[in-house]
Amino acid sequence: MNAILKVEGLKVEFDHPLGAVKAVDDVSFALQPGERLGLAGESGSGKSTMALSLLRMIKPPGRITAGRVSLDGTELSALDHEAMRHLRLAGIAMVPQGSMNSLNPVIRIKAQFADAFRDHGLKLSSAELDARVAELLRTVGLRPHVADLYPHELSGGMKQRACIAIAICLRPKVIIADEPTSALDVVVQRQVMETLARVQRDLGCAIILVGHDMGLMAQFVDRLGVMYAGRLVELAPIAEIITRPRHPYTQALISSLPSLEKRGAMQGIPGLAPLLRDLPPGCAFHPRCPRAEARCTTEKPAVREVAPNQQAACHFA
Amino acid sequence: MHLIDILRRCGVFVLIVWLAASLNFFLPKLSGQDPVRTKLLQQAQLGGYVQQGIDEMVKVYETRFGLDRPLWQQYLSYLGDVVRGDFNFSIANYPRTVWDMIAESIPWTVGLLGMTTLLSFVIGTILGALLAWPRAPRWMAWLMPPLWALHAIPFFLLGLILMYLLAFQVQWLPIFGGYSMGAVPSLSVAFVLDIIRHATLPALSIILVAVGGWALSMRGMMVTTMGEDYVVFAEGKGLRSLTIFSRYCLRNAILPQITALALALGQILSGAVLVEVIFGYPGIGTLLYQAIRENDHFLIQGIVFTVIVSLGLATLLLDLVYPLLDPRISYRRT
Amino acid sequence: MQGLLRYFRRNLSLVVGSAMLLFLLAFIVIGHFIVDVEDARALSVRPLQPPSWRYPFGTDRQGRDLLAVMVAGTPLTLQIGFIAGILGVGIGTVLAFVAAYYRGWADTIIRGIADIGLTVPGLLVLIIIAVGIPGGLSVNQMALVVASLAWLNPTRTIRAQVLSLRERGYVEIARMSGMSGPAIIVLELMPNLLPYLAATLVNAVSGAILASIGLEVLGLGPIDAPTLGMTLYWVNFNAAMINGWWWWWLAPTTIIVLVFLGLFFVTVGLDEYANPRLRRSA
């Protein structure tokens, strides 16, 4: 099967007076149509930067310094500004973080849909717009009258559904959801994830779910990528990762989960996440790694196939 | 907005008026003497054709604010005057009432300051928004230092400099007054043009300074707004730069600017006292200057009171209008 | 030292502002050596002389040497500004800390007074106060009058700043480790606030000078002191502009512009130092 989204050797660096910081370092993966891919990692591991860079939305002092991203065969870096703009939402749509106020507080929900339609060249009559918006809102389980409300009149969960409805309004091929349920309470979290899963199934699009909740990942995604210090250190089907994690960091992640119900945020990995500005030489994980040897302090492990469909970046995997 | 909110805002307005009146009443008494009485007695001794009127005023003043009456009674009768809008006669220009003189000056000041405030708001806000916008032309960045520098200079000083350059050296514009001497005030085109010519220099010195302030604050708000999540999401939605700029950034960043505009409009009467003085412009500022020079306490008090009331009024209006601009506000009980 | 130099190169505003103020300082100090400040009194020299080698800044109608007036008057104006500014920021800081640290009714009252006070046009209140003081003001009285309103703005801005600092982790940690309120304020909050306080102070000094000059131009200043504002009052009083005595207003105007520009750029520079985020977004 042809990959819908292909990422090769992607690098994002942030300029800093003390030297460039690599937030995303040589990441490659391929996303299959309809696939649900998870990207997990601690905060500062580069996973959110990675998500933004797929949309080419990195702001200075950050910039994409290397790599290719292609959507359905179209190389994104070859697109001009205007084409890239059209590709956002229509090709790759983002679902913003749940903790954020991602809706413009001073205009009504319907207008926030209308802006998107208009700027993507759809000329809708007022009646058509009403119908489209009502239909989209129904898809995410909101009632049509929500269209006439302001964001502050909605609950956190409702706002997030509205964002999902906006994200799917042009039937994108890929959805990137960056911690879509952060700061929502557990019940609402579940509802939002179910909504996301349903619209993804109905549209048949692929989805990249960025997050740090391993339990959520286990329930939702088909494959999971684990990021550490800007690198994709392991990528494998979720069942493999849960049962046979190859990278010591992934192992630590898995074993830190409460064993009975595999839910909860990552915790209890010894040591601190490294500063991207000041990475240790060799394998960035070696200061915290129980298996570290002399080689790990000097030689950066390459990503390699450790089993069919399973890749990891560790000398011992 | 709820009725209670409206009532409470009106209550704040009444509070401000009351504070202004009390300030007027008590501050001059802090020194232990009554400067008003001193001045009145001085004026009475000067004599002249209005002598009888001044004597009358002294008598009225003594019965109402005399030292034999307790302070609270004086205070109450003063508040009574304020409620009735009675600011007494001008001490220095006796037969004229304070209110007459103020009413005559207000249109001049409101005209000049209203115009310059709105103009500098519009120019400054647009400039500020563009200065924060990454896609604005490069040369705009060069506008910042002069805008900043001008903003740091007081209105009236710039007025002096412009006056020397444009009115004294090259004599393009009249140097003094609100209209030419000998011109007959009428609604003719010639007279209006004359007024505009006279207002140009004071207006220019206000606008050149004020634009920088509006631009600076707008730029700051734009920078903050551009970092907001809804702007990031708007970009993620693939909206046009212009849409993001106008409907997502500007529309939100302008809200605090509008608050500031309302306050600035409230300050209209006192905003450029010194500019008026420098240019001899026949507005409230010059009236106040004359009142100070002549120690005309009733006139000073009348002006201060009028200014503070106009300010309270502007704040009240803003509070009533603001919910129309910001949908969140009617729900947020402050 | 080299780091400092490198920092200065990035923070040009601070350098430019400080340079202007240092220049003024040098002018005052050197001026005191080369000119007799007694000539700043009326009837000391021939009146209305345009600038010459003898009187580089010219003389005014009352027979003052304007160079002497500037040398004697600039420090007086700065004195008013600094006394009022320091008093204002001092009072403002104390009130702001009380309000922001202890919250509750103290906060409500302090914030209420500051907010209402800030809506009232300051110059007018100062006029009422100044008019009410019989016999005119001395330079120091002038400073006190201006200071009576100079604390409002610092109170509000510093309060907001303390509130945001208060939420940060280290204050929480200090509180949990049993530090007392005042100790937290002095040991934890103060050091973080210092650059910000410095910027507020410079701002307050600038505002106080502006207010004092305003009062003086209106004729409410210390009538026989040669401050910059009083000089402008005489300029206006004698209609020097229309009469073509350009040197009379040129000297005070130039110095006042230098004072305000210098203070302004120092504030901008200090702001940048206190809050580097502003720089990056510029």
Side-chain angles (χ1 to χ4, degrees):
Chain A
M1 209 160 35
N2 267 337
I4 185 82
L5 184 78
K6 215 165 162 188
V7 178
E8 285 164 287
L10 188 65
K11 279 189 190 179
V12 179
E13 292 185 8
F14 283 79
D15 287 333
H16 188 277
L18 303 173
V21 175
K22 287 183 191 152
V24 175
D25 187 9
D26 201 8
V27 168
S28 306
F29 64 88
L31 186 68
Q32 303 305 322
E35 186 189 10
R36 297 173 179 177
L37 175 71
L39 276 180
E42 291 160 297
S43 54
S45 61
K47 58 190 196 302
S48 289
T49 309
M50 162 82 207
L52 280 181
S53 67
L54 297 180
L55 285 156
R56 296 228 335 252
M57 276 172 58
I58 301 292
K59 289 262 157 9
R63 64 204 154 87
I64 299 172
T65 51
R68 295 151 56 86
V69 178
S70 51
L71 176 75
D72 212 6
T74 314
E75 165 67 35
L76 298 197
S77 61
L79 297 179
D80 65 5
H81 185 83
E82 189 62 12
M84 188 60 220
R85 178 176 78 70
H86 275 288
L87 188 131
R88 295 186 191 123
L89 196 64
I92 307 178
M94 75 182 262
V95 173
Q97 292 195 9
S99 60
M100 297 193 155
N101 53 338
S102 297
L103 294 168
N104 187 346
V106 294
I107 62 179
R108 295 177 200 278
I109 302 296
K110 183 170 35 181
Q112 321 214 10
F113 280 94
D115 285 344
F117 288 133
R118 194 190 50 245
D119 281 7
H120 282 277
L122 266 75
K123 292 189 179 62
L124 299 179
S125 72
S126 154
E128 284 169 333
L129 175 70
D130 285 352
R132 285 280 288 266
V133 172
E135 175 57 31
L136 284 162
L137 289 175
R138 193 170 313 125
T139 315
V140 296
L142 291 174
R143 286 190 293 164
H145 80 271
V146 167
D148 293 317
L149 298 179
Y150 287 104
H152 70 267
E153 296 170 288
L154 306 182
S155 71
M158 289 164 85
K159 274 189 244 186
Q160 203 53 4
R161 285 154 188 263
C163 287
I164 294 174
I166 292 176
I168 59 168
C169 74
L170 297 177
R171 310 185 68 85
K173 294 170 188 148
V174 176
I175 293 177
I176 299 174
D178 186 359
E179 310 228 16
T181 59
S182 57
L184 300 178
D185 70 56
V186 180
V187 179
V188 180
Q189 207 171 63
R190 191 182 190 85
Q191 290 168 350
V192 169
M193 284 315 292
E194 277 166 6
T195 307
L196 199 55
R198 199 178 59 245
V199 300
Q200 182 257 347
R201 228 180 5 251
D202 293 350
L203 280 178
C205 64
I207 191 165
I208 298 178
L209 178 70
V210 180
H212 62 262
D213 185 337
M214 289 296 270
L216 204 71
M217 292 288 179
Q219 291 177 356
F220 187 81
V221 303
D222 307 323
R223 265 198 310 162
L224 183 69
V226 176
M227 289 196 70
Y228 188 82
R231 301 192 75 202
L232 192 60
V233 293
E234 182 156 7
L235 178 64
I238 185 74
E240 297 295 321
I241 288 239
I242 298 283
T243 53
R244 274 189 302 278
R246 296 300 187 111
H247 195 284
Y249 176 62
T250 319
Q251 288 163 2
L253 282 186
I254 302 295
S255 62
S256 73
L257 288 175
S259 57
L260 247 184
E261 216 214 337
K262 300 228 172 210
R263 277 198 77 93
M266 293 173 204
Q267 49 198 313
I269 301 175
L272 289 169
L275 292 171
L276 286 173
R277 179 157 45 82
D278 192 19
L279 286 183
C283 172
F285 187 60
H286 82 255
R288 300 165 79 184
C289 183
R291 299 180 55 183
E293 289 175 10
R295 181 185 176 197
C296 302
T297 62
T298 52
E299 195 183 326
K300 206 175 191 176
V303 179
R304 59 193 175 88
E305 201 90 348
V306 291
N309 279 328
Q310 185 158 15
Q311 51 176 330
C314 176
H315 297 305
F316 309 112
Chain B
M1 181 141 63
H2 301 268
L3 188 65
I4 297 175
D5 280 333
I6 296 175
L7 284 178
R8 197 177 42 210
R9 302 263 144 80
C10 293
V12 170
F13 175 67
V14 172
L15 186 75
I16 288 176
V17 172
W18 171 69
L19 279 176
S22 308
L23 206 69
N24 256 336
F25 178 80
F26 285 110
L27 275 183
K29 294 199 165 25
L30 279 184
S31 58
Q33 310 165 12
D34 185 343
V36 181
R37 173 176 298 101
T38 317
K39 174 65 189 175
L40 269 175
L41 293 178
Q42 264 175 24
Q43 198 75 17
Q45 275 159 12
L46 277 179
Y49 73 102
V50 291
Q51 186 60 46
Q52 216 181 346
I54 295 274
D55 287 344
E56 187 69 18
M57 237 166 108
V58 175
K59 217 185 290 163
V60 172
Y61 188 83
E62 286 297 347
T63 54
R64 299 190 58 209
F65 301 105
L67 290 174
D68 49 327
R69 296 190 66 195
L71 198 63
W72 65 269
Q73 277 184 15
Q74 296 182 35
Y75 181 50
L76 281 187
S77 65
Y78 178 77
L79 285 187
D81 283 355
V82 167
V83 171
R84 274 179 283 112
D86 175 5
F87 297 118
N88 216 329
F89 293 98
S90 156
I91 300 176
N93 309 278
Y94 165 64
R96 309 198 56 195
T97 64
V98 164
W99 179 242
D100 265 355
M101 299 179 73
I102 293 177
E104 202 171 90
S105 309
I106 281 181
W108 290 98
T109 299
V110 170
L112 175 67
L113 266 291
M115 211 56 200
T116 51
T117 308
L118 288 177
L119 268 177
S120 33
F121 172 80
V122 171
I123 301 172
T125 302
I126 294 174
L127 271 180
L130 289 176
L131 283 172
W133 187 241
R135 313 178 127 257
R138 266 293 165 78
W139 55 264
M140 290 209 60
W142 292 100
L143 283 177
M144 295 273 292
L147 277 178
W148 278 16
L150 280 175
H151 176 57
I153 301 172
F155 293 147
F156 69 95
L157 267 194
L158 189 66
L160 268 181
I161 298 168
L162 289 179
M163 183 196 268
Y164 180 73
L165 294 177
L166 298 180
F168 189 79
Q169 279 294 334
V170 297
Q171 305 197 347
W172 286 346
L173 291 162
I175 204 163
F176 195 80
Y179 51 90
S180 302
M181 276 187 206
V184 187
S186 63
L187 265 178
S188 67
V189 177
F191 187 67
V192 171
L193 280 179
D194 191 46
I195 291 182
I196 292 178
R197 271 171 52 78
H198 278 80
T200 305
L201 263 186
L204 204 60
S205 45
I206 296 171
I207 291 176
L208 281 178
V209 171
V211 159
W214 291 115
L216 273 181
S217 58
M218 185 62 183
R219 176 176 161 276
M221 275 316 299
M222 282 294 282
V223 167
T224 311
T225 309
M226 280 158 54
E228 294 282 351
D229 308 326
Y230 50 79
V231 175
V232 176
F233 188 45
E235 200 189 344
K237 276 155 73 176
L239 300 186
R240 284 177 212 283
S241 299
L242 195 64
T243 311
I244 300 178
F245 177 65
S246 58
R247 276 169 71 77
Y248 288 75
C249 297
L250 197 95
R251 178 69 177 74
N252 280 286
I254 208 166
L255 293 175
Q257 289 284 100
I258 288 176
T259 308
L261 174 65
L263 293 179
L265 286 175
Q267 305 248 18
I268 266 187
L269 292 182
S270 65
V273 171
L274 296 170
V275 172
E276 290 190 8
V277 171
I278 295 278
F279 286 100
Y281 191 83
I284 287 279
T286 305
L287 189 67
L288 180 65
Y289 176 63
Q290 282 161 4
I292 291 171
R293 281 176 72 163
E294 288 159 346
N295 251 324
D296 194 339
H297 285 275
F298 289 147
L299 189 49
I300 297 177
Q301 291 184 347
I303 292 173
V304 171
F305 186 76
T306 314
V307 169
I308 295 182
V309 168
S310 72
L311 198 106
L313 218 54
T315 321
L316 178 67
L317 277 179
L318 172 74
D319 282 343
L320 297 181
V321 172
Y322 200 75
L324 301 178
L325 294 167
D326 188 344
R328 285 162 297 181
I329 226 67
S330 49
Y331 285 76
R332 191 196 296 151
R333 297 295 199 81
T334 44
Chain C
M1 191 60 210
Q2 210 160 25
L4 203 66
L5 276 179
R6 197 172 322 131
Y7 182 73
F8 277 148
R9 197 171 304 160
R10 274 217 318 258
N11 195 338
L12 258 182
S13 316
L14 197 59
V15 176
V16 172
S18 314
M20 286 178 173
L21 295 183
L22 283 177
F23 175 79
L24 278 176
L25 206 66
F27 169 75
I28 296 168
V29 172
I30 297 171
H32 269 92
F33 285 109
I34 60 173
V35 84
D36 182 5
V37 287
E38 283 301 303
D39 286 350
R41 294 172 187 277
L43 308 177
S44 304
V45 294
R46 264 186 72 190
L48 288 178
Q49 295 299 301
S52 62
W53 280 111
R54 180 129 183 246
Y55 307 115
F57 289 7
T59 67
D60 76 1
R61 195 177 183 176
Q62 284 102 326
R64 302 182 182 96
D65 175 5
L66 282 168
L67 176 59
V69 171
M70 293 303 108
V71 168
T74 309
L76 290 180
T77 295
L78 293 178
Q79 181 186 337
I80 296 175
F82 273 93
I83 293 179
I86 289 170
L87 278 177
V89 173
I91 298 170
T93 309
V94 172
L95 288 179
F97 272 110
V98 171
Y101 193 83
Y102 294 101
R103 309 304 306 267
W105 57 267
D107 187 30
T108 313
I109 292 175
I110 292 172
R111 196 188 47 183
I113 293 175
D115 280 352
I116 291 182
L118 279 171
T119 55
V120 176
L123 187 61
L124 287 198
V125 178
L126 296 181
I127 287 173
I128 289 277
I129 299 175
V131 168
I133 296 175
L137 296 164
S138 70
V139 167
N140 285 333
Q141 280 172 330
M142 185 79 185
L144 289 181
V145 168
V146 174
S148 66
L149 294 183
W151 56 274
L152 291 168
N153 201 36
T155 304
R156 192 167 68 166
T157 54
I158 297 172
R159 173 183 168 277
Q161 200 71 10
V162 177
L163 272 185
S164 81
L165 280 180
R166 194 175 175 267
E167 300 308 317
R168 298 207 191 144
Y170 53 86
V171 174
E172 198 58 40
I173 290 167
R175 203 177 299 145
M176 283 190 297
S177 68
M179 247 182 181
S180 69
I184 293 175
I185 288 173
V186 173
L187 296 175
E188 302 288 331
L189 289 176
M190 247 342 187
N192 289 288
L193 264 183
L194 276 181
Y196 188 80
L197 281 182
T200 311
L201 175 66
V202 179
N203 218 349
V205 169
S206 170
I209 293 178
L210 180 62
S212 79
I213 292 180
L215 285 178
E216 287 167 353
V217 170
L218 289 172
L220 290 169
I223 217 75
D224 40 1
T227 62
L228 299 174
M230 282 320 292
T231 311
L232 284 182
Y233 170 73
W234 296 119
V235 164
N236 199 44
F237 189 89
N238 291 294
M241 179 70 69
I242 294 175
N243 287 311
W245 303 321
W246 52 268
W247 58 90
W248 197 347
W249 56 265
L250 184 64
T253 305
T254 312
I255 292 187
I256 295 176
V257 167
L258 270 180
V259 169
F260 282 118
L261 283 184
L263 290 174
F264 175 74
F265 283 120
V266 169
T267 319
V268 173
L270 286 173
D271 264 342
E272 219 165 76
Y273 178 75
N275 190 1
R277 218 153 43 93
L278 280 176
R279 184 178 56 231
R280 237 182 294 140
S281 54

